[in-house]
């Protein structure tokens, strides 16, 4: 789907005060991974203006938070996501991320819809990882290790199965009960899934490792990785966060979703500061891969690494897809 799809233009009555609200359930249904991954590939290969995101630190005695403002425009559409990230919410039994997405007409600025930003963020995040794996994971990759058991981790098997013939899924989490619960949910959807007590053992067997945790210290060791492994790192989005140790980056062929990852993610700022890698060691971005400017995996023995911090481009592609599908179906469900 093109971001400038005419079906995603201003609705009749766009000047009215009421902005269509597209809730969580409708947003989720409109973003199946078998359609979202190809839509993201098209979006990353196209031209877009993605200004630097705004980070604002929100201090609080019960746990600091971060406010993110993420604008982007491409073709006929303009979008802005307002997101808050509060890692301490995990202990409160609440989502760590809350967000809202405003989609507008780029030519006039007229708002088109207000969408559930949480669903857009969650689904586009793991879909971006799956898209990267389509270039970087071995084509015969069947064994997936999921590190983490949150909302994004819960969708990993479904997303990666769109691009690789995933057969077995292992889940590791610091809370074993959560890992076992996610594994049971995956078995109920048809995956051969189990929780792992040993992260080292699971990592040594996996073809693809995807990490979606709020860790501030490395949990994946480079010495565990076998030749041919693809390591997907989602969780680190500040310099204080890490999911993989320096050895991973010393051994791996490194790709990023956006060049901003080099300054935003502790997984990269740490090894760069330690002199383990330099910015020139980054093989390319997801845009480079999708546009065919750089090659992905070139050897079955390569260890490949994809580090994402999130980009407004992916949000816009997902929001455009939801809005276009809503217009095509005439849906009124607000989820």
């Amino acid at each position: 789907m093109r971001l400038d799809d005419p079906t995603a233009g201003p609705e009749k009555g766009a000047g009215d005060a009421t902005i269509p609200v597209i809730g969580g359930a409708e947003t989720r249904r409109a973003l199946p991974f078998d359609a979202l991954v190809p839509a993201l590939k098209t979006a990353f290969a196209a031209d877009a203006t993605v200004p630097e995101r705004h980070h604002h630190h929100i201090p609080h005695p019960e746990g600091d938070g971060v406010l993110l403002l993420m604008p982007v425009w491409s073709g006929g559409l303009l979008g802005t996501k307002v997101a808050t990230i509060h890692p301490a919410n995990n202990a409160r039994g609440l989502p760590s991320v809350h967000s809202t997405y405003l989609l507008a007409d780029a030519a006039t600025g007229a708002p088109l819809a207000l969408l559930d930003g949480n669903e857009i963020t969650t689904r586009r995040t793991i879909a971006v990882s799956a898209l990267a794996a389509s270039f970087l994971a071995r084509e015969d990759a069947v064994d997936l290790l999921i590190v983490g058991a949150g909302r994004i981790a819960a969708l990993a098997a479904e997303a990666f199965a769109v691009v690789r013939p995933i057969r077995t899924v292992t889940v590791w989490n610091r809370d074993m009960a959560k890992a076992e619960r996610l594994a049971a949910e995956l078995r109920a959807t048809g995956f051969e899934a189990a929780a792992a007590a040993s992260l080292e053992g699971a990592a040594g067997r996996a073809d693809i490792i995807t990490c979606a945790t709020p860790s501030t210290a490395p949990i994946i060791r480079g010495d565990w990785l076998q030749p041919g492994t693809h390591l997907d790192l989602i969780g680190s989005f500040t310099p204080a966060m890490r999911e993989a140790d320096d050895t991973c980056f010393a051994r791996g062929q490194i790709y990023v979703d956006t060049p901003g990852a080099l300054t935003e993610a502790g997984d990269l700022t740490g090894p760069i500061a330690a002199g383990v890698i330099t910015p020139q060691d980054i093989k390319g971005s997801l845009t480079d891969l999708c546009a065919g400017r750089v090659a992905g995996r070139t050897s079955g023995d390569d260890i490949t690494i994809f580090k994402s911090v999130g980009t407004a481009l992916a949000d816009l592609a997902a929001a455009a897809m939801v809005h276009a599908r809503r217009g095509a179906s005439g849906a009124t469900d607000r989820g």
Side-chain angles (χ1 to χ4, degrees):
M1 182 195 69
R2 304 193 330 266
L3 291 185
D4 59 351
D5 191 326
T7 63
E11 296 182 352
K12 184 177 180 180
D16 296 343
T18 301
I19 302 173
V21 176
I22 305 178
E26 185 179 351
T27 299
R28 184 167 56 251
R29 288 194 298 270
L31 295 173
F33 290 120
D34 59 354
L36 179 56
V37 171
L40 288 170
K41 183 177 182 179
T42 299
F44 272 93
D47 290 330
T49 301
V50 186
E52 183 176 350
R53 74 183 79 190
H54 297 255
H55 288 79
H56 299 279
H57 177 240
I58 311 298
H60 194 278
E62 296 180 9
D64 293 355
V66 176
L67 171 66
L68 291 180
L69 304 177
M70 299 174 64
V72 59
W73 50 94
S74 180
L77 293 176
L78 163 68
T80 304
K81 185 170 74 176
V82 178
T84 56
I85 299 96
H86 286 73
N89 280 358
N90 289 326
R92 303 181 180 112
L94 297 172
S96 59
V97 179
H98 293 279
S99 61
T100 304
Y101 199 86
L102 177 62
L103 185 67
D105 179 80
T108 66
L112 300 174
L114 193 65
L115 299 93
D116 186 290
N118 283 357
E119 288 292 342
I120 285 176
T121 301
T122 300
R123 298 187 74 83
R124 67 81 160 149
T125 297
I126 196 62
V128 162
S129 288
L131 174 58
S134 73
F135 295 100
L136 302 177
R138 296 194 328 268
E139 291 189 4
D140 62 350
V142 297
D143 192 310
L144 172 68
L145 169 61
I146 301 171
V147 180
R151 290 195 305 169
I152 292 174
L155 296 174
E158 181 184 355
F160 280 97
V162 168
V163 300
R164 289 296 182 266
I166 301 302
R167 186 168 63 240
T168 59
V169 181
T170 305
V171 183
W172 184 90
N173 193 67
R174 286 193 173 97
D175 186 332
M176 187 66 173
K178 291 182 178 179
E180 290 175 340
R181 185 160 54 248
L182 176 53
E185 292 172 0
L186 293 173
R187 288 194 298 272
T189 62
F191 288 101
E192 181 183 328
S198 169
L199 179 56
E200 179 179 355
R205 295 188 302 270
D207 299 320
I208 299 173
I209 303 171
T210 182
C211 300
T213 75
S215 180
T216 56
I219 51 180
I220 298 294
R221 306 292 173 182
D223 292 339
W224 300 345
L225 305 180
Q226 298 300 311
T229 302
H230 173 59
L231 176 59
D232 173 57
L233 301 170
I234 297 171
S236 166
F237 60 89
T238 74
M241 302 175 78
R242 287 287 298 266
E243 291 185 301
D245 72 359
D246 286 353
T247 304
C248 289
F249 296 95
R251 295 185 66 194
Q253 306 290 312
I254 309 163
Y255 298 79
V256 296
D257 63 339
T258 168
L262 290 168
T263 57
E264 294 180 24
D267 275 317
L268 293 175
T269 60
I272 290 173
V276 175
I277 60 171
T278 70
Q280 289 69 42
D281 290 319
I282 307 302
K283 298 298 182 181
S285 68
L286 191 52
T287 292
D288 293 326
L289 289 167
C290 291
R293 291 196 290 267
V294 300
R297 173 177 291 274
T298 58
S299 165
D301 289 334
D302 284 346
I303 292 174
T304 54
I305 300 175
F306 178 67
K307 176 62 205 138
S308 63
V309 292
T311 170
L313 174 58
D315 291 320
L316 181 60
M321 183 172 162
V322 174
H323 187 251
R325 287 189 169 209
R326 187 179 215 251
S329 65
T332 58
D333 174 18
R334 292 175 179 249

